[in-house]
Amino acid sequence: MGSTYLGLDFSTQQLKAVVLNEELQILHETHVHFDSELPEFRTHGGVVQKKGSKEVTVPTIMWVKALDMLLEKLRVCGVDFSEIVALSGSAQQHGSVYWGKGGKAALASLNPSRFLHEQLGIPSVLSIPNSPVWMDSSTTAQCRRLESGSVGGGGAVGMARVTGSRAYERFTAAQIAKIAETKSQAYSTTERISLISSFACSIFLGDYAPIDWADGSGMNLLDIEAKDWSDECLELCAPMLRGKLGATKHSYANIGPISPYFVERFGFSPECRVVAFTGDNPASLVGMRLQEGDIAVSLGTSDTVFMWLSEPKTITEGHVLCNPAKKDAFMALLCFKNGSLTRERIRDNSADGSWEIFNELLNNTPRGNFGNMGLYFDSQEILPNAVGDFRYNKAGDKLTRFTSTEVEVRALIEGQFIAKRAHAEDFGFKIGKGTRVLATGGASVNTSILQVLADVFNSPVYVQESTNSAVLGAAYQAKHGYLLGSSEGNENENSLEAVTACLPAPTLVCSPFQDAAEVYNPMITRYRKIISAIGD
Ligand code: ADP
Ligand code: XUL
């Protein structure tokens, strides 16, 4: 009998799963797409947002129903659950789940003859039915309050020094603070607050799962060097919070055996281990086997850029998180909210909804786009802090539209990558001779887009076999945590590097053209001028 590993990813638009063998090769892969397969929740792009509102939520039970469906799909595609020796998962970051007074008891006594969503979707289990998610930007007042305290010496810089980020609207502290203020009754009956990652982990564990350090770094509550909640942050955020958050654990902690529900309903082995779940960006870092000096660019619902850091640094534009692969390391993360959904909007308006036509238009325009530049922020962007469409011609005049669809398409893609490079350089990233750009996420299948990425970064772009690095990372962590065991011995022998050494190197897909630096270096300078003017 072979041993296998299960990885899950509760991403913004879908729930994904992968089953890997001992050599970490993919045996099965499946997903549940929220908008199309769970239409009763009326999500758009996986979330619910009233027109004109900054509030963005998800009915928490949708993720549970998606899990019921996903497990059935895995059964149908022939997965032998009894061979899975360990599982782990990842989830969109920052979103929060509120367990009511009956949460712990419900998790411990799930009836295997019924679906999970029938048993968990009741008010005594979930004290607040809708989870705020990372796209929410309704908590500016709470952010200002969090930064007005004396955390780390006070202000945005003090908050960043302790928690790795200044107070951000989508981060969990601001979201919890808003719930404690506006839904104080429901807050007071909340027994536990989970991140989406630790929520999903709790279901498999049959008990409240700890929040891991990497995803916990996206909350403005964790002291990322002490690896414990900051009492100052907790006090500024909401009453009685330490007890509601529970303990924290490192990201590959082997936390316990699987709940009897899964043993009886699906035939999992009672020995199957549950390894801590983490955020999708930390899991992607693991899935891409990022090395120091590399830069990873993930092109999903959000676009993100991440890098390995050996030491933390204090920065107010971007985030420092605990590293999910190594306990004493860190990672840098930049998040751009307007990723795939904005690319889809321009594809629909300029290319008849076809990626093929979109790519033709992109390939038919020269690097530098005749001096035109565009920035497109459908919803309030994080980096830079802006919303709307901004188009400029060679002379720097602001335009309402470009003269052709091909100029529009190239302006979008160049603008998105120029922003990524400029903000990564602000973070301290330096392009060198050995720089590798590792691309992942849904849009990384598109080599026309990746060619622009290679040119803007003047560096080769690599991909791996699967574009779903978060779900792969989760499965690698399952093996990593499993081999370490609950005793946590053999850290070096079973480092993530050692565990994943059997995998092939990533594949080179695009190299920059000779003139790339000459074309794009001045455009980076121009981008900085444009965004400082937008900010004025
Ligand atoms: P998430 O994990 O955030 O749900 P994914 O990383 O799975 O998202 O990416 C999904 C996105 O991939 C879709 O919204 C779609 O726009 C994009 N995508 C899929 N195929 C292509 C393609 N050929 N070119 C560009 N983008 C694509
Ligand atoms: C990261 C962020 C998003 C979500 C969804 O800070 O908000 O990337 O994790 O992918």
Side-chain angles (χ1 to χ4, degrees), residues 9 11-14 16 299-302 340-341 343-344 347 355 441-443 445-446 449 468:
D9 177 32
S11 74
T12 310
Q13 300 192 56
Q14 56 215 309
K16 304 171 191 167
L299 304 170
T301 310
S302 63
S340 278
L341 300 178
R343 286 188 287 274
E344 285 177 21
R347 176 202 64 186
W355 288 121
V445 295
N446 186 322
I449 291 180
N468 292 324

Side-chain angles (χ1 to χ4, degrees), residues 306-377:
F306 38 89
M307 294 158 271
W308 183 288
L309 296 177
S310 342
E311 301 288 332
K313 64 198 287 183
T314 301
I315 189 130
T316 52
E317 294 275 284
H319 319 293
V320 177
L321 313 182
C322 294
N323 191 304
K326 200 160 175 265
K327 282 182 202 162
D328 56 0
F330 295 85
M331 68 179 276
L333 171 68
L334 303 174
C335 180
F336 302 85
K337 199 192 270 183
N338 296 286
S340 278
L341 300 178
T342 303
R343 286 188 287 274
E344 285 177 21
R345 194 235 319 167
I346 301 292
R347 176 202 64 186
D348 295 345
N349 293 347
S350 301
D352 250 352
S354 145
W355 288 121
E356 227 177 353
I357 301 177
F358 184 96
N359 293 348
E360 260 172 44
L361 297 172
L362 189 56
N363 298 340
N364 283 343
T365 38
R367 289 176 290 290
N369 207 10
F370 308 107
N372 296 298
M373 256 182 99
L375 300 170
Y376 302 79
F377 309 119

Side-chain angles (χ1 to χ4, degrees), residues 28-260:
H28 303 278
E29 215 173 350
T30 190
H31 69 273
V32 173
H33 184 253
F34 303 134
D35 293 0
S36 57
E37 293 177 73
L38 288 158
E40 64 273 34
F41 294 101
R42 301 188 159 200
T43 55
H44 182 69
V47 302
V48 177
Q49 180 171 24
K50 284 206 195 90
K51 213 173 160 52
S53 167
K54 291 185 168 181
E55 263 183 29
V56 184
T57 58
V58 169
T60 311
I61 204 66
M62 181 183 83
W63 293 315
V64 181
K65 200 164 179 189
L67 181 58
D68 282 322
M69 291 166 68
L70 186 90
L71 289 163
E72 294 303 336
K73 282 194 184 188
L74 287 172
R75 192 205 318 252
V76 170
C77 70
V79 172
D80 181 349
F81 292 102
S82 71
E83 293 187 345
I84 299 172
V85 295
L87 67 91
S88 182
S90 73
Q92 51 172 298
Q93 296 196 253
H94 318 297
S96 41
V97 173
Y98 299 78
W99 296 96
K101 297 263 185 259
K104 190 176 166 75
L107 283 170
S109 57
L110 290 167
N111 176 349
S113 61
R114 294 174 61 207
F115 284 117
L116 291 165
H117 73 270
E118 292 168 353
Q119 304 181 66
L120 298 177
I122 48 175
S124 61
V125 176
L126 295 173
S127 54
I128 293 176
N130 297 313
S131 289
V133 295
W134 68 275
M135 293 168 106
D136 188 289
S137 56
S138 68
T139 58
T140 306
Q142 287 76 15
C143 288
R144 294 296 78 79
R145 200 186 81 214
L146 291 166
E147 286 178 352
S148 70
S150 56
V151 178
V157 174
M159 183 60 84
R161 188 173 295 129
V162 174
T163 71
S165 301
R166 70 164 169 79
Y168 277 93
E169 280 79 356
R170 70 189 191 288
F171 274 44
T172 328
Q175 297 295 338
I176 294 173
K178 184 177 154 198
I179 283 184
E181 283 163 28
T182 57
K183 298 188 170 81
S184 59
Q185 180 59 28
Y187 178 80
S188 67
T189 62
T190 297
E191 180 173 84
R192 177 61 69 105
I193 301 174
S194 292
L195 291 176
I196 303 167
S197 55
S198 61
F199 166 70
C201 185
S202 302
I203 298 174
F204 282 99
L205 198 61
D207 193 2
Y208 293 143
I211 290 176
D212 79 292
W213 296 342
D215 210 13
S217 312
M219 299 175 80
N220 282 136
L221 292 173
L222 187 77
D223 179 330
I224 59 168
E225 290 197 71
K227 322 283 189 211
D228 187 17
W229 305 119
S230 149
D231 282 315
E232 278 181 306
C233 294
L234 296 179
E235 266 161 47
L236 279 166
C237 179
M240 317 286 291
L241 192 49
R242 186 176 272 276
K244 293 185 200 283
L245 293 175
T248 64
K249 278 271 188 192
H250 66 85
S251 304
Y252 46 93
N254 182 326
I255 49 182
I258 195 165
S259 145

